[in-house]
Each structure stands twice: as C-alpha cells, then as structure tokens.
C-alpha cells in the first residue's frame, strides 16, 4: 500500500508539472507585437493544443491510476485514464493510457489465458489517496504474496455495481469486461450494431468506444469529430461526464431534434403525426411538393419594360423549366439556370421586335445593342418579380411550413394526421427536423450572394492594407530624402509583404473545436457516429444521419424489444438494408450488470406475455429484495408515502409514471425534479418511460403500470439497481401479480404493510 501511495504522489506531482507547462506554453507564445503574424499563428496553435491537454489532465486527475500489470518477463506497467511520461530525455512512461494495446491484458487476461501476466492489481483511490488494493494471481507458479490477494475476481466489479448512483453515468475503465473490450476496440470502418437488453452496459460501452476511436484515430477523428445521438435531453445530461472524464472533448452530443442548426424542436406531435412524418413516403411527398413550386404561367404574363411590353409565355417558361430540371441541381441552385434561359428568351423577343428590318433583311441590331438590351432585362425588377412567381427562392423552413399547412401527395388519413393550419407557428417538433433536413437537400443553398459579400468585405481589408503600406512607403521615402544618405537600401514594410497578405493576417482565427463547428454546419461529415436507442429512430431520421456520415462509419446501440416510438424502425435489417445492404456486423451483450435477478424475473414477464420465446439478459447479481406492489384509491398520496419510505435508503429514486399522471404527482412530490430535462442528481425525479430510457436509479417506483404499453413498461421496470415498487389503482398487467410482495393498507390507515 505504501509503495502505491508513493507512486501516486509522484504521479500527481508530475501532473502538476504538466499542467503548469501547458499554461506557460501559451503565455510564452504571446507576441510582443500584436501585429506580428507568425507570433499570432504560434499563439493560436498553442492555445488550441494546450487547452486540449489541460482538459485531458483535469479529466484524468480523479482516479488517475487504477491498475497495475506485472508480467512474467519482468515488465511492470501502471494503467490509468490518461498516459503520463517522465520529464526525461527518454520520456519514460509512468502510466499507460487504458486504450494502449499493451494495456489489454488488464481487461482480457484470465487464469486460463494469462497473456503473459504474473498478477493483475486493481487500485482503488479517492482523489490522490489510495483506499484499497486487490491482486489477482494469474500465474499459479508465482509464490510472491503481497497480502492483497483475493479469491473473488469479480469483487471490484460487484463493488462498482452495488455503489449508490449519483445521477450521472460514470466511466467503467476499471471494470471493462472481455466482451465489452472487444466491442470497444472493434475496427473503425463500417457499421457495428451492439444489441443488448436493459442493464447490459451497451451505452457506456459505446461511449468508451468513442474514446478509444479518438485515441486510435486521433488525426482523422479529431478533425472530423464524433457525433453521439441520444434519445432525449435527460439522457444526454446523464452521459455528459463520461467522455470528459476520459479526457475526450472532440464529441458532439445531440438528440435527433437538435440536428438542424438554428432550429430547436420545442413542440410535440401526436403519435399518429410522428409516425407519418417519420415514414419514407415523406421524402417523395416533399420532392413532389418542391416540383409543384416550379410553376408555369397561365397563358401569357405581360411584363412592363422601358422598351415596350414583354410577353412571358407558357411555352417559354416550360422550355426554361425543362432545361433547368435537366441540370439535376437542387431547386435553389437550378433557379439561376431557369432565370438565365427566360432572360435569353425575353431578350430574343425584344431584339426581334426592335431590330426587325421592315424589308425582311437581317436584324438591324448589332452585338453591342443586343448585349445592352439583355443587361437591361436581367436587371429589371419587374422581370425578376415575374420569374420569382414561377420559380421562387425557398428556405427549408418556408417549404416545410407550407407543406404542413396543406400536406399534398399523401393519403388523406395521413395528411389529416399531420395537417397544421398555422404551419409551424406553434413551433417545430422533433419529427419536423428530418423534414427540414430533407427540404434543405431538395432546395440547396445558393450562396453566391454570401460569397460576393464576403469577397467585398475582403477587398475592403485589402484596400485598407494597401493604404497602410502606401503611407508607410511615403513616410520612409521622405525620411531617407531628409537624411540625404545611402540608407535607402533599408527594407520597408512594402518590401516584405503585399496588401493581400497583410489583409490575411488581420483575419480572426477560428478557435472553435471541430464539434462546435460541426454543430453549426448542416453539411458537416462526421468521422464516426454513435446512435443510442437506435431502434427508436424513424426512417426519415436515418436518412438525415446517413447524410452526416458518408463513410458509413457508425456504432448503433439498442434493443428492438424496447422499441416504443410510433415511427421507430425496430429491426436492424429495416434500418440498414437501404444504405449498406448486409455489410454490417452484429454483436449482442447478454449479461445484465444493472438489474438484480429479483427485479429482472418480474420485468421479463411483460415482453414474455407478448412473445413467449422472449429471453432477457442474465443478471449477475442478487439483492435478496423482491419488488413490491401496492393498490390504492389515492395514487398521489400512496406514491408520496412510498417515496418517503424508499428515500430512507441510499442513492437516487425515480418515480416513473404515464404523462397523464404527472400533474397530480407533481403536487404530491414538491421536491421532485421534473420537466423535459430534470436534474438527475436530485434525490427524487419524476419522469415518464421515454425519458427513463438509458437511465438507472437505486430505487424506482412505477405508477399506474396498467396505463403503459408493453415496451414502456419493460423500460420502466428495468431502471432500478436495488429496489422496485409498483403503485396502482387498477389490477396489475398480466404477469406482474407474480413475484412481487403485495402491500396492503394498514388497519390504522397510517400506511401500507406487508
């Protein structure tokens, strides 16, 4: 113990040195002259690099070293959250990063396959103080004993599983199991599907996979960033500290409703509307709706012009539209082609009228005259107004809002489900986000005006820089003339830099991380995408995500048995076949680390009532505490009593109830955290089953289970790590009346008793 404590003290001293070095490295690159371009560049690079290093050092400080490997060949390595080296010429490793290849025996070695190890040590610490050691002997011929040997190889794992929850997911670098390690380190390319029932650790494994990929493919993924898609804001808050605790910040966390920059989905859809909006038929309906906006005039449109009336005919517009559509460009990008062809046609019409030879000879107008007429037509507001009526410039928001007002190209029942007379005036819903993205693809963005404005702004900088150089040249020339000596050979500013390069140096550097830039760019291509609760996403959301990852480098995590969203695909084949056919790899996690046997046996009866062949994941722990149930006529009062009783234990408690019960329960539970993104670190939270996905609590009380669908009920029942209770006003669903302790009202009315 003393040796490990001394080593830990050394590590923290080295950590302090590295942190000090990172801070001073930034200070030392600050330029003495604020206009010195090279110094500014060095400072900009240093700020980015050293800030990333500081983030990693801060993350690794808690539980800096958690393991030690002693090999038969004499090698001895400590394992930690981040790699740390000595400050010597050889940069000798003090602690190996858990993701390094040499660290794999810490997770994979067994007595049967020791992988060259004599022993493996687990180190427990609180801050920089060592609190416990646990040694596993892997070489039975090793006679050395430390006094910290243990016969139970799973002691460290079980201690972590039994620990009280904090409301935030923790990393599992100390307890990664062999099957999990294989998933974490799976090849970067292609689509990997990780399926697993409740409590199998699929989410935390996916997060550690993100950390590993960023370590193994740093140059590529740090530049392109990793996107992690979660089902709701509460879930993203729950997992938000895992990757920073592993020293990784190049990751964007988002819900499907946050994947269209500039739009926040705050409204809600009915289940029927969400299902319709999520169907692939929406892509075709929107495409046809865009073509509807490329219209033709009825008969002739007369346009007033200085040289006389112009007549825009249906035939002219039809030919221009045909040629524009043949470019196969998105609507807004094809519009200039439509415009140019109509302008050409109107110019030809005007030329024929003004230049006609009354004696039948050739046209009397020359090329310069024709060009002048074409320019006049091209700059005519009336002409552009008429063209805008036939082929308007559209934004995704305008297009989708108009479509929702009158959803054409859909069966009437589906149109009625999503019709909103006010368009999007009531706010966008999560199911609208993939529609906006689809609309953006169909429309395209004509950025010619923005590029022209940027170029004009740049020219202003160049002109200003030229003025500065001219002023410098004039003052230096006058100085040399006044001195009347031979120092005119001395270089001046204009000899070292031209106006264009000087202007470039004045532009502000973009210090945003790749994740921050990706969040603001709809067309960003991510290096890797991880999707949690992937079975819940609709086909339209998958179209959006596949655009964000052209390389199809993805990790999909989920459990088809927990599909609850009305538009969810559920089946991996339905999700992936349209994009990668059968070129994807599937793995399944079958061990339940979260849910005790007593709870899992009860929860499994819910899906088994629908599918008798259903097989739940195998729980590896038991608490000896059976779930309980209490029937009452006063739901809020009974839940409040149950919360008071269960809160006497340790950890966090969740009341999971149908949304219809929340108003009454909020009044009975004034201290509970509620809302779209409740504070999960609060002792008590009130949520619905959809919000509970991916979360876990020490104790759970499920209210009115008979009002929940099969999938939602299964999710609600499998969130507890220790204790589960049911409070209901009507009979329990089939199967739940077995395996639970029934609580009855006490004779004095003071509360339920067994």
């Amino acid at each position: 113990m003393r040796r490990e404590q001394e080593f830990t003290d050394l590590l923290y001293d080295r950590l302090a040195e590295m942190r000090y070095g990172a801070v001073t490295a930034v200070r030392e690159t600050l330029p003495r002259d604020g206009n010195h371009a090279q110094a500014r560049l060095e400072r900009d690079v240093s700020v980015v690099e050293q800030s990333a290093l500081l983030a990693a050092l801060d993350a690794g400080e808690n539980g800096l070293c958690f393991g030690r490997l002693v090999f038969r060949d004499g090698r001895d390595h400590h394992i930690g959250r981040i790699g740390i080296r000595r400050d010597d010429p050889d940069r000798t490793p003090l602690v190996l990063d858990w993701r390094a290849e040499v660290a794999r025996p810490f997770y994979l070695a067994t007595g049967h396959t020791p992988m060259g190890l004599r022993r493996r040590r687990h180190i427990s610490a609180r801050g920089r103080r060592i609190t416990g050691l646990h040694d596993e002997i892997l070489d039975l011929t090793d006679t050395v004993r430390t006094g910290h040997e243990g016969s139970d190889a799973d002691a460290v794992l079980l201690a972590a599983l039994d620990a009280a929850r904090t409301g935030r997911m923790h990393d599992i670098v100390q307890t990664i199991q062999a099957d999990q390690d294989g998933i974490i380190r799976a090849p970067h390319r292609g689509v990997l599907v990780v399926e697993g029932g409740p409590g199998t650790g699929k989410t935390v494994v996916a997060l550690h996979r993100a950390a590993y990929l960023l370590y193994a493919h740093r140059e590529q993924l740090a530049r392109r960033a990793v996107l992690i898609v979660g089902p709701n804001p509460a879930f993203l808050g729950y997992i938000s500290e895992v990757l920073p605790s592993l020293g990784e910040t190049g990751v964007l966390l988002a819900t499907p409703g946050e994947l269209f920059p500039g739009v926040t989905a705050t409204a809600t859809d009915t289940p029927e509307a969400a299902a319709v909006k999520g169907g692939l038929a929406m892509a075709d309906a929107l495409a046809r709706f865009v073509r509807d906006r490329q219209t033709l005039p009825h008969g002739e449109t007369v346009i007033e012009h200085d040289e006389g009336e112009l007549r825009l005919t249906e035939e002219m517009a039809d030919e221009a539209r045909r040629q524009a559509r043949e470019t196969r460009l998105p609507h807004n990008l094809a519009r200039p082609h439509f415009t140019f062809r109509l302008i050409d046609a109107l110019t030809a019409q005007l030329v024929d009228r003004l230049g006609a030879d009354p004696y039948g000879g050739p046209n009397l107008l020359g090329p310069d005259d024709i060009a002048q007429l074409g320019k006049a037509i091209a700059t005519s507001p009336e002409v552009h107004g008429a063209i805008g009526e036939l082929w308007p410039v559209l934004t995704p928001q305008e297009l989708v809002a108009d479509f929702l007002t009158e959803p054409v190209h859909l069966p009437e029942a589906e149109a009625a489900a999503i019709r909103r007379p006010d368009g999007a005036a009531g706010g966008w819903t999560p199911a609208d986000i993939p529609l906006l993205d689809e609309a953006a693809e169909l429309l395209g963005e004509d950025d010619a005006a923005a590029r022209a404005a940027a170029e004009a702004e740049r020219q202003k900088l160049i002109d200003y820089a030229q003025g500065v150089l001219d002023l410098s040249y004039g003052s230096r020339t006058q100085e040399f003339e006044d001195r009347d000596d031979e120092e005119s050979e001395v270089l001046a500013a204009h000899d070292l830099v031209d106006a264009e390069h000087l202007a470039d140096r004045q532009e502000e550097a973009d210090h945003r991380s790749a994740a921050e830039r990706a969040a603001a760019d709809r067309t960003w291509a991510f290096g890797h995408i991880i999707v949690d609760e992937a079975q819940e996403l609709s086909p339209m959301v998958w179209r959006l995500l596949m655009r964000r990852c052209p390389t199809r480098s993805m990790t999909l995590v989920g459990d088809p048995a927990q599909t609850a969203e009305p538009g969810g695909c559920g089946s991996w084949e339905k999700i992936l076949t349209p994009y990668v056919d059968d070129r994807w790899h599937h793995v399944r996690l079958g061990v339940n680390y979260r849910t005790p046997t007593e709870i899992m046996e009860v929860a499994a009866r819910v899906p088994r009532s629908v599918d008798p062949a259903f097989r739940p994941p195998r729980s590896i722990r038991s608490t000896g505490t059976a779930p309980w149930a209490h029937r009452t006529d006063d739901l809020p009062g009974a839940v409040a009593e149950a919360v008071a009783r269960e809160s006497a234990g340790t950890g966090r408690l969740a009341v999971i109830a149908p949304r219809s019960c929340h108003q009454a329960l909020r009044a009975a539970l004034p201290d509970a955290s509620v809302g779209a993104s409740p504070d999960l670190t609060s002792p008590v939270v009130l949520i619905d089953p959809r919000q509970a996905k991916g979360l876990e609590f020490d104790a759970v009380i499920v209210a009115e289970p008979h009002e929940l669908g099969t999938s939602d009920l299964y999710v609600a029942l499998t969130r507890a790590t220790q204790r589960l209770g049911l409070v209901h006003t009507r009979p329990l669903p089939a199967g739940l009346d077995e395996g639970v302790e029934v609580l009855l009202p006490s004779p004095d009315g003071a509360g339920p008793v067994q």
Side-chain angles (χ1 to χ4, degrees):
M1 182 83 78
R2 184 175 65 181
R3 180 184 174 187
E4 294 292 359
Q5 186 63 64
E6 292 173 350
F7 179 77
T8 300
D9 291 338
L10 172 64
L11 285 182
Y12 277 92
D13 290 342
R14 177 64 185 134
L15 187 71
E17 292 174 2
M18 294 173 68
R19 182 180 284 111
Y20 177 77
V23 173
T24 55
V26 175
R27 292 175 179 168
E28 289 173 357
T29 57
L30 293 176
R32 296 178 181 177
D33 180 358
N35 291 324
H36 193 293
Q38 182 61 31
R40 289 177 61 204
L41 177 61
E42 292 175 357
R43 178 198 60 193
D44 293 341
V45 172
S46 182
V47 166
V48 173
E49 292 180 347
Q50 301 303 328
S51 296
L53 176 57
L54 281 169
L57 296 179
D58 291 341
E61 184 171 3
N62 185 24
L64 183 60
C65 176
F66 56 79
R68 182 179 175 187
L69 300 176
V70 180
F71 289 85
R72 291 174 179 171
D73 60 10
R75 288 179 297 150
D76 188 337
H77 296 301
H78 281 83
I79 310 297
R81 281 176 168 75
I82 59 174
I84 296 182
R85 295 178 179 272
R86 294 182 185 273
D87 187 16
D88 59 23
D90 296 331
R91 304 290 292 164
T92 308
L94 279 172
V95 172
L96 296 176
D97 192 296
W98 66 275
R99 296 165 288 190
E101 187 64 24
V102 72
R104 292 202 76 179
F106 187 78
Y107 303 111
L108 300 182
T110 64
H112 181 68
T113 309
M115 302 179 69
L117 288 183
R118 287 173 47 212
R119 64 177 55 232
R120 170 172 50 206
R121 168 168 288 181
H122 296 267
I123 303 172
S124 300
R126 182 173 293 111
R128 62 188 297 165
R129 184 172 65 86
I130 301 298
T131 59
L133 303 175
H134 181 87
D135 286 349
E136 296 177 63
I137 305 299
L138 298 174
D139 181 359
L140 299 181
T141 65
D142 182 9
T143 59
V144 177
R145 293 293 179 266
T146 63
H148 300 291
E149 290 79 12
S151 58
D152 186 359
D154 293 327
V156 176
L157 172 63
L158 293 175
L161 297 178
D162 285 331
R165 269 41 189 176
T166 64
R168 290 288 182 267
M169 179 180 281
H170 296 293
D171 63 68
I172 58 168
V173 289
Q174 292 176 260
T175 58
I176 293 172
Q177 302 300 292
D179 57 342
Q180 297 172 334
D181 182 81
I183 295 171
I184 290 170
R185 299 173 190 262
H188 167 224
R189 298 290 182 182
V191 177
L192 174 65
V193 173
V194 183
E195 183 179 331
T200 53
K202 53 188 180 295
T203 296
V204 74
V205 167
L207 294 174
H208 285 68
R209 174 164 169 76
Y212 172 77
L213 292 177
L214 285 164
Y215 172 85
H217 306 277
R218 177 73 62 190
E219 182 176 350
Q220 176 184 356
L221 294 185
R223 184 174 65 253
R224 301 308 311 165
V226 173
L227 171 65
I228 296 180
V229 180
N232 54 62
F235 173 83
L236 295 183
Y238 179 63
I239 68 171
S240 62
E241 296 179 2
V242 174
L243 285 167
S245 76
L246 300 173
E248 297 298 345
T249 57
V251 176
L252 174 64
L253 275 66
T255 66
E258 298 170 330
L259 292 177
F260 192 87
V263 172
T264 301
T266 57
T268 56
D269 275 314
T270 64
E272 295 77 15
V276 172
K277 290 179 179 180
L280 282 179
M282 290 298 299
D284 179 66
L286 285 173
R288 295 170 66 184
F289 190 64
V290 170
R291 291 175 68 88
D292 290 346
R293 304 301 295 271
Q294 301 164 1
T295 59
L296 300 175
H298 298 293
E300 288 186 347
T301 297
V302 178
I303 304 172
E304 297 297 331
H305 190 265
D306 292 342
E307 301 294 343
E309 292 182 344
L310 299 174
R311 297 186 178 277
L312 196 162
T313 67
E314 184 174 351
E315 292 74 16
M316 293 165 55
D318 188 36
E319 177 62 17
R321 183 175 71 172
R322 182 188 65 78
Q323 295 183 35
R325 285 177 173 177
E326 284 180 352
T327 66
R328 297 188 178 276
L329 291 171
H331 173 88
N332 289 334
L333 299 183
R335 185 180 186 274
H337 295 268
F338 178 77
T339 300
F340 294 152
R341 284 165 173 77
L342 275 187
I343 288 174
D344 287 346
L346 292 172
T347 301
Q349 181 186 102
L350 191 58
V351 167
D352 287 344
R353 187 169 73 236
L354 296 180
D357 184 348
Y359 301 105
N363 196 286
L364 299 177
L365 299 179
D368 291 342
D369 299 320
I370 295 174
Q372 189 64 32
L373 288 175
K375 182 177 180 180
I377 291 176
T379 57
S380 167
E382 291 78 14
V383 170
H384 281 280
I387 292 175
E389 291 292 325
L390 303 178
W391 196 300
V393 175
L394 299 171
T395 68
Q397 289 89 331
E398 290 170 342
L399 184 77
V400 175
D402 289 347
F403 179 81
L404 294 177
T405 301
E406 186 49 56
V408 295
H409 308 302
L410 289 174
E412 178 52 35
E414 295 182 1
I418 67 172
R419 184 177 288 114
R420 296 168 63 179
D422 60 349
W428 299 106
T429 71
D432 292 331
I433 298 303
L435 304 188
L436 291 170
D437 195 75
E438 187 74 24
E441 288 292 309
L442 293 168
L443 296 176
E445 182 179 356
D446 186 357
D447 61 351
R451 285 188 283 108
E455 183 58 31
E457 191 64 30
R458 172 176 165 75
Q459 190 59 49
K460 287 182 182 178
L461 281 176
I462 293 174
D463 293 343
Y464 176 79
Q466 186 63 57
V468 172
L469 291 176
D470 291 345
L471 183 62
S472 170
Y473 175 74
S475 82
R476 293 287 286 179
T477 301
Q478 185 62 48
E479 177 185 345
F480 294 140
E481 290 177 353
D482 293 344
R483 293 174 61 177
D484 192 23
D485 56 24
E486 297 181 357
E487 293 186 8
S488 60
E489 295 298 323
V490 176
L491 294 176
H494 62 273
D495 299 310
L496 301 174
V497 65
D498 59 23
E500 188 170 349
H501 286 88
L502 183 58
D504 289 342
R505 293 176 178 180
Q506 307 310 310
E507 292 183 351
E508 290 295 326
D510 188 350
H511 293 309
R512 292 179 301 168
S513 68
E516 290 170 329
R517 285 182 282 122
D521 185 353
R522 190 196 68 83
T523 62
W524 189 274
F526 289 92
H528 193 81
I529 293 182
I530 293 175
V531 185
D532 202 292
E533 302 294 348
Q535 77 282 348
E536 300 287 8
L537 302 190
S538 71
M540 288 299 291
V541 176
W542 283 113
R543 284 175 66 87
L544 180 157
L545 290 177
M546 292 298 174
R547 293 189 193 107
R548 300 293 199 275
C549 192
T551 61
R552 304 294 190 259
S553 177
M554 310 178 86
T555 302
L556 311 184
V557 179
D559 179 14
Q562 298 183 62
T563 305
E565 293 296 334
C569 289
S571 163
W572 302 122
E573 288 77 9
K574 289 182 180 179
I575 293 172
L576 295 172
T577 298
Y579 305 101
V580 297
D581 197 17
D582 60 351
R583 299 184 302 277
W584 50 280
H585 184 58
H586 177 272
V587 294
R588 181 171 179 83
L589 295 170
V591 177
N592 187 334
Y593 299 99
R594 175 205 302 146
T595 317
T597 302
E598 294 84 355
I599 295 177
M600 200 64 213
E601 288 179 350
V602 172
R605 296 188 182 120
V606 174
R608 197 173 285 141
S609 66
V610 177
D611 178 11
F614 173 77
R615 296 178 60 186
R618 175 178 59 86
S619 297
I620 66 168
R621 49 193 283 271
S622 174
T623 61
T625 303
W628 56 263
H630 173 52
R631 185 169 183 177
T632 179
D633 294 330
D634 178 14
L635 181 72
V639 169
E641 290 179 5
V643 167
R645 184 172 62 253
E646 292 292 341
S647 296
T650 59
R652 266 68 184 170
L653 182 148
V655 175
I656 303 178
R659 182 63 60 176
S660 60
C661 299
H662 278 213
Q663 184 174 354
L665 291 176
R666 290 179 68 171
L669 303 171
D671 296 329
S673 181
V674 297
S677 184
D679 179 7
L680 298 178
T681 64
S682 174
V684 180
V685 297
L686 171 61
I687 54 179
D688 62 40
R690 306 293 171 87
Q691 291 177 293
K693 279 185 172 293
L695 309 184
E696 60 183 23
F697 305 89
D698 297 274
V700 169
I701 297 171
V702 179
E704 300 291 46
H706 55 272
E707 291 189 15
L708 302 177
T710 300
S711 177
D712 284 343
L713 181 54
Y714 183 52
V715 169
L717 296 174
T718 54
R719 300 303 101 191
T721 66
Q722 302 291 338
R723 306 178 302 280
L724 171 67
L726 309 174
V727 179
H728 54 111
T729 59
R730 290 165 51 190
L732 292 171
L736 289 189
D737 53 354
E738 302 176 20
V740 297
E741 295 183 354
V742 179
L743 302 183
L744 305 174
S746 63
D748 58 3
V753 297
Q754 293 186 8

